Amino acid sequence: MEYISNTLGNLIEQTAFMNLTVGNLIMIAVACVFLYLAIRHGFEPLLLVPIAFGMLLVNIYPDIMLHAEDASNGTGGLLYYFYKLDEWSILPSLIFLGVGAMTDFGPLIANPKSFLLGAAAQFGIFAAYLGAMAMGFSDKAAAAISIIGGADGPTSIFLAGKLQQTALLGPIAVAAYSYMSLVPIIQPPIMKALTTEKERKIKMEQLRPVSKLEKILFPIIIAVIISLLLPSAAPLIGCLMLGNLMKECGVVDRLSKTVQNELMNIVVIFLGITVGATATAEAFINVQTLSILVLGVLAFALGTAGGLLLAKFMNLFLPEGKKMNPLIGSAGVSAVPMAARVSQTVGQEANPSNFLLMHAMGPNVAGVVGSAVAAGILLSFLG
């Protein structure tokens, strides 16, 4: 009987139940909420499902993220090796390759004013940088945190890795991806508060057709110009534009389809589960992480407002019939294509005959470029 009792005692001690803390239970509950939002309400399930599952796993079995140098046998946990691809900025760059291959730059080419809206939406990044500095974060930590304001997960991870802010990479990445997923909840109240019903009803002219030659030249020209002016942004911009060139040139369809589908799906799985696996109770339930989450949502709100307000300002100088619907300015954050869809949804609520999606895609794509450029600027000064 004593042998059986000891054996049962050892088995119980080896289960995860004995090691769960209140913090772990809180994070497990958060993971379950994310899974509910993704599965039941469809909030960006491609992002939230792997992130939430990684969060679930690491709070039940922390050793799945055990660093190799901390292991007695020198072998780290499974997700530790996937996570190194985040630290080395490999997965974020591959995400940009896939985004480029899946995105039509035509609306941006047809309406170059969209670049201004995308640039204005990056206001949240620099506001968050100043806010983080005021809260006592170092300049590099503040820079890494600030990119959350662009609602751009891959760029957030890229910059945090390049600035060697690995201790903050988890909270930053989870905040950025969470806000990206919650765009349909966060943005509409801001959009409605800053616009009148009359402005939301504005119908815009159909965009001009964009030639194949323009679509081929655009990624080449943008990659060359930005790489020359801001070499530190070249990895992200280069991958984004290469992916788009593959899509538009028409001679590498096999490569383009692979990047859009198989490669993108694999990278999203690895990136999502490793981002979620950084969300341990120790890393998240503290004042510093809460500060990052607050800064992130404020930066995202300011970025949304920046694009909207610039669109309203530009309308002061545009003739009747040429005015833009300010809602497309909110799509200047780089959550592609979620932010553009929200512009379309809010616009149709005001005017069911309104079709803003393609117009909003211009600022949305400009926002992707803008957040990468913002990261390059910060990296140039602080890297």
Side-chain angles (χ1 to χ4, degrees):
M1 289 295 292
E2 184 178 352
Y3 172 76
I4 294 174
S5 177
N6 289 337
T7 301
L8 289 175
N10 288 335
L11 286 173
I12 291 172
E13 287 179 4
Q14 290 174 21
T15 66
F17 290 106
M18 304 301 294
N19 299 315
L20 289 178
T21 65
V22 173
N24 292 137
L25 294 175
I26 292 172
M27 296 308 296
I28 289 169
V30 171
C32 291
V33 170
F34 279 3
L35 286 171
Y36 172 77
L37 291 173
I39 296 170
R40 180 68 179 84
H41 294 287
F43 288 163
E44 297 306 321
L46 295 179
L47 290 175
L48 276 192
V49 168
I51 287 175
F53 210 80
M55 191 181 297
L56 196 68
L57 287 176
V58 78
N59 282 284
I60 295 172
Y61 177 57
D63 282 357
I64 202 167
M65 276 289 281
L66 181 67
H67 289 208
E69 57 268 23
D70 296 333
S72 57
N73 60 0
T75 302
L78 171 64
L79 297 185
Y80 163 76
Y81 294 102
F82 293 164
Y83 177 71
K84 296 301 288 184
L85 299 176
D86 293 340
E87 285 190 353
W88 295 334
S89 302
I90 293 173
L91 295 183
S93 299
L94 291 177
I95 287 286
F96 263 64
L97 185 69
V99 169
M102 297 168 68
T103 303
D104 181 8
F105 284 7
L108 178 58
I109 299 170
N111 184 16
K113 293 193 294 291
S114 298
F115 267 117
L116 297 176
L117 299 178
Q122 308 315 308
F123 170 72
I125 291 176
F126 297 100
Y129 174 75
L130 296 175
M133 290 286 288
M135 293 176 69
F137 287 96
S138 69
D139 53 359
K140 290 187 177 182
I145 292 166
S146 68
I147 297 296
I148 299 172
D152 191 337
T155 305
S156 300
I157 295 171
F158 175 85
L159 188 61
K162 290 292 185 182
L163 293 176
Q164 299 180 333
Q165 298 299 306
T166 53
L168 298 178
L169 195 154
I172 289 169
V174 170
Y177 274 108
S178 298
Y179 295 143
M180 284 175 67
S181 302
L182 298 176
V183 162
I185 294 176
I186 297 172
Q187 280 198 321
I190 301 170
M191 297 162 72
K192 291 176 181 178
L194 295 178
T195 57
T196 65
E197 186 173 357
K198 181 180 178 181
E199 287 174 327
R200 294 194 293 274
K201 287 181 176 180
I202 293 175
K203 294 183 70 172
M204 298 178 66
E205 294 179 352
Q206 186 174 353
L207 294 170
R208 72 170 179 83
V210 177
S211 69
K212 185 177 180 65
L213 179 61
E214 288 177 289
K215 290 187 175 184
I216 291 173
L217 290 177
F218 182 81
I220 299 172
I221 293 170
I222 294 297
V224 169
I225 291 174
I226 293 179
S227 297
L228 286 172
L229 295 176
L230 208 59
S232 53
L236 293 180
I237 291 295
C239 286
L240 180 70
M241 296 304 161
L242 172 59
N244 188 253
L245 182 61
M246 287 178 176
K247 172 182 181 290
E248 301 296 353
C249 70
V251 294
V252 288
D253 286 345
R254 285 173 54 190
L255 298 183
S256 178
K257 289 176 182 177
T258 298
V259 169
Q260 292 179 46
N261 297 292
E262 291 85 355
L263 180 62
M264 188 67 163
N265 290 337
I266 292 169
V267 172
V268 166
I269 292 169
F270 284 0
L271 187 67
I273 198 169
T274 53
V275 164
T278 62
T280 61
E282 294 79 9
F284 267 72
I285 303 179
N286 56 63
V287 174
Q288 185 181 65
T289 299
L290 292 176
S291 299
I292 291 172
L293 294 174
V294 171
L295 280 169
V297 74
L298 289 176
F300 183 45
L302 288 172
T304 300
L308 277 169
L309 294 175
L310 181 63
K312 288 167 68 81
F313 178 74
M314 292 170 68
N315 275 348
L316 297 176
F317 305 95
L318 295 175
E320 288 297 331
K322 297 290 184 179
K323 295 186 183 297
M324 64 179 74
N325 190 310
L327 294 176
I328 70 170
S330 66
V333 296
S334 61
V336 177
M338 293 88 82
R341 290 176 188 159
V342 172
S343 297
Q344 165 74 8
T345 300
V346 176
Q348 282 205 318
E349 286 177 5
N351 182 353
S353 64
N354 227 348
F355 295 95
L356 298 176
L357 183 61
M358 294 310 295
H359 296 283
M361 280 301 297
N364 210 184
V365 174
V368 178
V369 177
S371 64
V373 169
I377 292 171
L378 292 170
L379 192 56
S380 296
F381 283 104
L382 303 172

